[in-house]
Amino acid sequence: MAEPAGRTVFVCTCEDTMPLDEAALARACRGARLQGARQLCRAEFARFEAALGGGDVTVACTQEAPLFAERAEDAGHAFRLDTVNIREHAGWSREARRATPKIAALLAGAAEPMPATPIVSYRSEGVTLVYGRDETAIEAAQQLADRLNLTVLLTRPKDITPPATTTFPVVKGTIARARGHLGAFELTVDDYALPAPSSRARLAFGAPRDGATSRCDVILDISGATPLFPAPHKRPGYLRADPNDPVAVQKAIYKAAELVGQFDKPRFVTFTDTLCAHSRSKRTGCTRCLDLCPVGAIQPAGDHVAIDTMICAGCGSCASVCPTGAASYALPPADALLRRLRATLLAYAEAGGRRGVVLVHEGDHGAPLLDALARFGDGLPAHVIPFQVNEVTALGIETVAAAFAYGAAELRVLLGARHRDDLAALDRTLALADTVLRGWGFGADRAAMLRADDPDTLAARLVALPDRDGTIAPRSFLPMGDKRGVMQTALKELHKAAPTPVEIIPLPEKAPFGTVHVNVAGCTLCLACVAACPTGALRDNPDRPMLSFTEEACVQCGLCANTCPEKVITLEPRLNVAPEASQPRVIKEEDPFACIRCGKPFGVKSTVERVAARLAASHWMYKGSAANLDLIRMCEDCRVIAVTEGEGIDPYAGPPRPRIVTSDDYKKDGGEGV
C-alpha cells in the first residue's frame, strides 16, 4: 500500500447556501490540505476523485456520503474516508457567519479515528411463534405462511372458527416464562392443549397441561398481554404489537418476514471479569450494573457477573456506572470517544470559539431534529456544538468531566420528551457531575438533560441556556488507558481548571470513589478485608501485622464491610484528588507475637494474648494449665512438636467422665433403690 500523502479536507458552500471562511478553516486544519468547493458532489466531483489514493480524505457533506463512499470503493481508495455534517450543524444557521470555530471543531472531530467494533452474529431459520388471543393472530400467520415456519399459540381463546385447511399448527396455551433471543428463544407454556381435528363451529381443545416447552427463532407477540421481556423493544427477535392497532400489527408482520438468515450486531460492551467487584467468598459487593440493566442481560456468575452479549441491547448503563472498568462501552471505547471530544473542543478554542455548549445526542432522535431545525428554523446557535454518541445512557462521568476540562461552558444531553429507555444511569452520571462541578466552583446545572421533540422547542431551550461569566481555560491532556484510568485523569485535569479547586468533595451514594473508615480498636487485623478487596485498595504487609489503604484504588464496592467479621468498616463516598490519595496509608499496625519456643513471629500480639486470656478464663482445657496456655503462644510448627512430645494438652484427653449413679446413692438420699 502506498504511503499516505496527508489528509485532504473538502469544504463546500453547497451552491453558496452557507458562508465559509476558507482562510480561517485552513489555519484551523493544521497538517491537512483544505480545498473549498461550490458543488463538490456534481460539477466539481472530479476534484474529489483526484484526491483519492493520496491519503485520508474528509468531506464536509453527509447528504451525498453514499456517492462519495461508492466512488472511493470503485477507485480502490485504501485510506480513510470521513464525512462530516457542517451544513445542518453550522452553515444553515442564522448565526452562520460566526460559526467558523464550530466548523473547525466539527472537522477536527471527524478526523479523529475510531477503532473497529467487534461483532456478534445471530442465526435464524425462520421458526416463528405467533402469540395471540383471537383471529388476529391467525390472520397474521396466514400472511407469513409462505415465508416462515409458523405455529400459532392462542392464550385463553374464546370462540375461534377452525381454519378450513391446516396450513400451520394452532394450539392453546399461555407463556409462563420466556428467555433467549433471535434464533434461540426458549419458552415454558402453561394451559397447553392441542385442538381436536373434529372441531366444527369453533376450535375445541383437549385436556390442558402445564410446563410444556418450546423453542423458536422469532416471537410475534400480538396477545396484548404483559410483555414477555423487560424493555421489549430492545430484545432481538421479539416483535410486539397492540392487537387493536392494525398498522402496528402490519409493521410487526413485515419485520418478522425479514428475520430469516444471519444477522450481525455490535458487541456493545467489553467485559473483563477479573476487574469485577461483584462478589468474593459468597459475599456480595457491587451490584450497580445488575440494578440498572434494562433488558436482563446481566446475571451473577460467582465472583463476577456475566453479560449475555446476544441479549445486550447496547444502552451502556452498565459501563457508565461500573466503578472498576470491568464493563466498558465499545461503541466506541471511552478513551477513543474522549479523543474525539478533545479534538473537537480544542479546535473550537484554537479557532477563537468561546463558551461552547456540547450538545450530546443520539443519531435516531437528535440528527433528524437538528436537520429540521436547520431547514425550517434558525439553525443551531454558533456556540452549540453537536456531539453524537451511540447511546446517551452510556455517558459516563469521565466524558462529562473531560468536556469541561477541555473548555466546554455547558453540556446538555438531548432527549425526547418521553424517552422510552430507562434513564437511571444517566441520572446518576449527571447527578455525580453536578456534585463535582458545584464542589469545584463551576456552578449549578452545568451538565443537564434537555428535552425536545420538535425544532421550535429545541431552539427555544438552546436560546434560554445561561450565559456563564468567565471562560474555562482548556486542558489538553490525552485520554489513555482503561476506563478507570481515563476517569481519574479527566477528573484530575478538571480539578486543575477549577475556579475553587478543593481537594475533597463529598459524593452521593454509589459513587465510584471514596474512602473507608475502620474502628481501629475493634479491628483484629484478621485481614479478611484484604482478601476480599478486588482492587488492592486494602493491602497487608507480608513482614508484619499491618493494614493499609490506598484511596485512589477504592471503588466503594462494599466487599470489605460485608466481609469484616467484626463489622468495624464503613464506607464514605468522596472524591479526593490530593496526591496522598494515590499513596498507601497505614490504618492499623501492631507488633507480631514471637513464638515462645523458637522466636518465630506469627499472628498479632494483642490477638494472641486476648485469645489466651479468654481460654484461661472459660475453657476447661486451659483453666489452671500454664502448659496448655503456652501452646497458644507457639507457632504452628512448635505447637505440633510440643503436643507430640507430650507437653501440655493430651490430644485424646477430655473432661472427667461423670460418676455412675448406683442404687446405693438413691438409698442414701432416702430412696428405695432399684
Side-chain angles (χ1 to χ4, degrees):
M1 185 177 71
E3 289 295 324
R7 184 167 64 99
T8 302
V9 178
F10 286 100
V11 292
C12 180
T13 64
C14 199
E15 298 179 324
D16 298 326
T17 59
M18 56 180 175
L20 294 178
D21 187 342
E22 293 184 19
L25 292 176
R27 290 192 298 270
C29 295
R30 293 181 300 180
R33 296 183 301 275
L34 186 129
Q35 297 188 29
R38 182 181 181 276
Q39 195 190 61
L40 185 66
C41 60
R42 298 293 186 271
E44 299 168 278
F45 194 65
R47 296 176 59 193
F48 167 75
E49 294 178 308
L52 295 176
D56 296 340
V57 176
T58 299
V59 179
C61 174
T62 53
Q63 175 178 291
E64 302 297 333
L67 172 65
F68 294 120
E70 180 182 2
R71 183 65 192 96
E73 182 179 0
D74 292 343
H77 182 62
F79 305 104
R80 287 180 54 199
L81 171 63
D82 301 301
T83 56
V84 56
N85 187 343
I86 67 169
R87 188 179 68 179
E88 284 80 6
H89 292 174
W92 282 0
S93 168
R94 187 166 57 90
E95 299 182 5
R97 296 194 177 278
R98 291 189 284 149
T100 298
K102 178 165 66 170
I103 295 174
L106 296 173
L107 293 173
E112 190 65 33
M114 293 289 106
T117 303
I119 298 295
V120 296
S121 298
Y122 301 96
R123 182 70 190 175
S124 169
E125 302 297 336
V127 178
T128 302
L129 179 75
V130 181
Y131 186 46
R133 62 189 183 189
D134 51 28
E135 283 87 353
T136 303
I138 297 176
E139 293 169 1
Q142 289 171 342
Q143 295 185 51
L144 294 167
D146 60 342
R147 300 288 301 274
L148 304 173
N149 183 353
L150 293 163
T151 297
V152 175
L153 178 64
L154 300 176
T155 175
R156 301 180 182 88
K158 294 183 179 179
D159 294 339
I160 304 296
T161 303
T165 304
T166 305
T167 308
F168 43 78
V170 178
V171 299
K172 182 185 80 163
T174 299
I175 298 176
R177 288 178 297 279
R179 64 189 187 96
H181 48 81
L182 176 64
F185 285 110
E186 298 179 7
L187 310 173
T188 301
V189 180
D190 289 343
D191 193 35
Y192 175 76
L194 296 173
S198 59
S199 299
R200 186 175 180 182
R202 61 184 180 85
L203 283 177
F205 295 90
R209 65 183 178 91
D210 292 341
T213 59
S214 178
R215 295 174 180 268
C216 61
D217 297 324
V218 180
I219 300 175
L220 175 57
D221 183 356
I222 48 178
S223 65
T226 302
L228 301 179
F229 302 98
H233 61 288
K234 289 181 172 288
R235 181 67 57 133
Y238 178 63
L239 307 173
R240 185 170 181 268
D242 182 352
N244 298 315
D245 184 347
V247 175
V249 171
Q250 287 302 314
K251 288 182 178 179
I253 291 172
Y254 175 78
K255 291 179 181 178
E258 301 299 320
L259 292 181
V260 180
Q262 180 168 311
F263 303 89
D264 296 332
K265 78 161 189 176
R267 184 187 294 270
F268 294 105
V269 176
T270 300
F271 184 70
T272 307
D273 56 12
T274 55
L275 297 177
C276 183
H278 169 60
S279 175
R280 293 293 185 276
S281 302
K282 299 184 179 179
R283 298 282 185 175
T284 301
C286 178
T287 61
R288 292 170 173 90
C289 61
L290 290 165
D291 297 338
L292 292 178
C293 181
V295 296
I298 307 177
Q299 298 295 328
D303 283 353
H304 54 83
V305 300
I307 301 179
D308 190 331
T309 57
M310 308 301 283
I311 295 176
C312 173
C315 72
S317 295
C318 58
S320 70
V321 299
C322 180
T324 65
S328 59
Y329 206 59
L331 200 63
D335 59 334
L337 185 69
L338 263 61
R339 284 196 296 272
R340 173 163 285 180
L341 184 63
R342 173 184 183 271
T344 300
L345 290 175
L346 292 186
Y348 178 77
E350 289 174 3
R354 294 292 181 268
R355 298 178 181 176
V357 176
V358 177
L359 185 64
V360 181
H361 68 93
E362 296 174 359
D364 289 346
H365 175 70
L369 201 57
L370 299 182
D371 183 89
L373 180 63
R375 293 176 182 275
F376 308 109
D378 290 336
L380 280 176
H383 68 296
V384 176
I385 307 168
F387 190 75
Q388 184 171 323
V389 296
N390 188 58
E391 293 278 354
V392 295
T393 45
L395 198 68
I397 183 63
E398 69 282 350
T399 306
V400 181
F404 288 97
Y406 290 137
E410 304 281 341
L411 183 142
R412 291 295 182 270
V413 181
L414 178 58
L415 298 167
R418 289 180 290 181
H419 195 79
R420 62 179 179 175
D421 292 335
D422 189 349
L423 297 176
L426 181 59
D427 283 333
R428 188 178 296 180
T429 296
L430 294 178
L432 179 58
D434 187 66
T435 300
V436 172
L437 292 168
R438 285 172 184 258
W440 283 338
F442 289 97
D445 302 323
R446 287 264 189 169
M449 299 182 193
L450 190 156
R451 294 183 179 272
D453 284 330
D454 62 82
D456 293 335
T457 302
L458 175 60
R461 292 184 176 170
L462 290 176
V463 169
L465 288 175
D467 186 11
R468 309 274 183 175
D469 292 333
T471 302
I472 301 169
R475 309 293 298 176
S476 59
F477 67 97
L478 281 170
M480 294 184 293
D482 59 15
K483 180 179 181 293
R484 176 80 178 182
V486 169
M487 186 190 309
Q488 291 174 329
T489 300
L491 287 166
K492 289 179 180 179
E493 292 291 332
L494 179 61
H495 173 259
K496 294 175 183 177
T500 56
V502 298
E503 291 184 336
I504 297 178
I505 299 176
L507 296 181
E509 186 182 0
K510 293 189 176 181
F513 304 102
T515 188
V516 299
H517 298 290
V518 180
N519 180 356
V520 176
C523 175
T524 62
L525 285 176
C526 70
L527 303 179
C529 56
V530 173
C533 182
T535 64
L538 289 165
R539 291 184 179 274
D540 62 352
N541 185 331
D543 298 324
R544 61 185 296 107
M546 178 190 292
L547 175 64
S548 65
F549 174 69
T550 305
E551 183 167 346
E552 191 171 271
C554 180
V555 298
Q556 296 285 286
C557 65
L559 277 168
C560 56
N562 294 341
T563 302
C564 178
E566 284 81 24
K567 303 302 177 187
V568 296
I569 300 178
T570 55
L571 307 180
E572 180 193 352
R574 71 181 193 181
L575 178 60
N576 184 357
V577 294
E580 296 78 17
S582 62
Q583 302 299 320
R585 168 175 58 88
V586 175
I587 293 177
K588 184 172 183 178
E589 180 179 14
E590 287 195 27
D591 293 330
F593 189 88
C595 174
I596 61 174
R597 182 165 178 155
C598 71
K600 173 185 173 182
F602 77 98
V604 182
K605 186 175 182 179
S606 63
T607 301
V608 173
E609 294 293 1
R610 183 168 58 251
V611 170
R614 288 183 179 179
L615 291 175
S618 61
H619 199 284
W620 64 268
M621 295 176 67
Y622 298 94
K623 283 183 178 180
S625 175
N628 288 352
L629 286 173
D630 282 347
L631 293 177
I632 302 299
R633 300 184 177 95
M634 297 180 190
C635 67
E636 64 272 20
D637 296 330
C638 292
R639 193 175 303 130
V640 172
I641 295 172
V643 170
T644 56
E645 290 177 348
E647 298 180 16
I649 296 173
D650 179 356
Y652 302 105
R657 299 183 65 180
R659 189 176 64 84
I660 298 175
V661 179
T662 66
S663 295
D664 292 338
D665 295 310
Y666 285 104
K667 290 177 181 179
K668 289 178 182 179
D669 295 334
E672 298 181 356
V674 179

